[in-house]
Amino acid sequence: MFEIHPMEIVGLVAATLTTASFVPQVYKAYKTKDVEGVSLTMFLAMFVGVLLWLVYGFYLKSLSMVIANIITSVLCLMILILKIKHKKKS
Amino acid sequence: MFEIHPMEIVGLVAATLTTASFVPQVYKAYKTKDVEGVSLTMFLAMFVGVLLWLVYGFYLKSLSMVIANIITSVLCLMILILKIKHKKKS
């Protein structure tokens, strides 16, 4: 279903980095409950955008994009939930 | 150089959303100077990851990915600068 090419390694590292980048933000928001500086608009637009990247990734038959965008959408949703939950509490 | 296909529209909307999503975060960090809740690790990993997505986008000949990742890397860098500049000031 998916083609394998050496450049897929670059895609996989890119996917790992941008996907993993959401983890420290989820952790920070969960731990400190300080989400005042976090933009709700950013993570809302990001969430919808990531879902569309997922569709586009299927079209490009890019394994990196499909996997990365599934995980990113979940992490993004967690930040959104934490932002809404802890808003105006700090 | 780049192929045009109806699915490119989905890629372009995805690219526009995820790229534009950084704008409200840049604006919020610039305006409020409250960056305590913003994770430095997130935007560092994101910045490096986005640069690699750019390389991967050239390989896939995806116009959406190339344009989006150039703009995103600049916006990401702006958040990093604001985060470092206003850290521990709130």
Side-chain angles (χ1 to χ4, degrees):
Chain A
M1 184 181 177
F2 292 105
E3 289 163 26
I4 304 295
H5 184 280
M7 271 299 282
E8 282 298 324
I9 303 296
V10 176
L12 283 169
V13 176
T16 305
L17 275 171
T18 52
T19 300
S21 75
F22 286 84
V23 176
Q25 185 63 74
V26 171
Y27 179 79
K28 187 159 200 168
Y30 177 77
K31 202 78 179 177
T32 68
K33 294 180 178 65
D34 178 5
V35 291
E36 285 312 299
V38 175
S39 166
L40 179 69
T41 317
M42 170 178 178
F43 289 94
L44 262 177
M46 181 68 80
F47 181 65
V48 178
V50 163
L51 293 180
L52 292 178
W53 273 125
L54 180 60
V55 174
Y56 189 61
F58 269 111
Y59 157 65
L60 291 179
K61 292 189 172 59
S62 163
L63 187 59
S64 307
M65 289 180 72
V66 169
I67 294 173
N69 287 306
I70 288 173
I71 301 172
T72 305
S73 63
V74 174
L75 291 168
C76 206
L77 190 62
M78 288 170 78
I79 295 172
L80 280 175
I81 292 168
L82 287 164
K83 169 68 183 177
I84 292 162
K85 190 179 173 190
H86 298 303
K87 212 179 174 183
K88 300 266 175 195
K89 266 192 178 174
S90 61
Chain B
M1 184 180 176
F2 293 105
E3 290 163 23
I4 303 295
H5 184 279
M7 271 299 281
E8 282 297 322
I9 304 297
V10 175
L12 283 169
V13 177
T16 305
L17 275 171
T18 53
T19 301
S21 76
F22 286 84
V23 176
Q25 185 64 73
V26 171
Y27 179 77
K28 187 161 199 167
Y30 177 78
K31 202 77 178 175
T32 68
K33 295 182 180 61
D34 178 4
V35 291
E36 285 312 300
V38 175
S39 166
L40 178 69
T41 318
M42 170 177 178
F43 289 95
L44 263 177
M46 180 68 82
F47 181 66
V48 179
V50 162
L51 292 181
L52 292 178
W53 274 125
L54 180 60
V55 175
Y56 189 61
F58 269 110
Y59 157 65
L60 291 178
K61 292 189 172 59
S62 164
L63 187 60
S64 307
M65 290 180 72
V66 169
I67 295 173
N69 287 306
I70 288 173
I71 301 172
T72 304
S73 63
V74 174
L75 291 168
C76 207
L77 189 64
M78 289 170 78
I79 295 172
L80 281 176
I81 291 167
L82 287 164
K83 169 67 183 177
I84 293 162
K85 190 179 173 189
H86 299 303
K87 211 178 174 183
K88 300 266 174 195
K89 267 193 180 175
S90 60

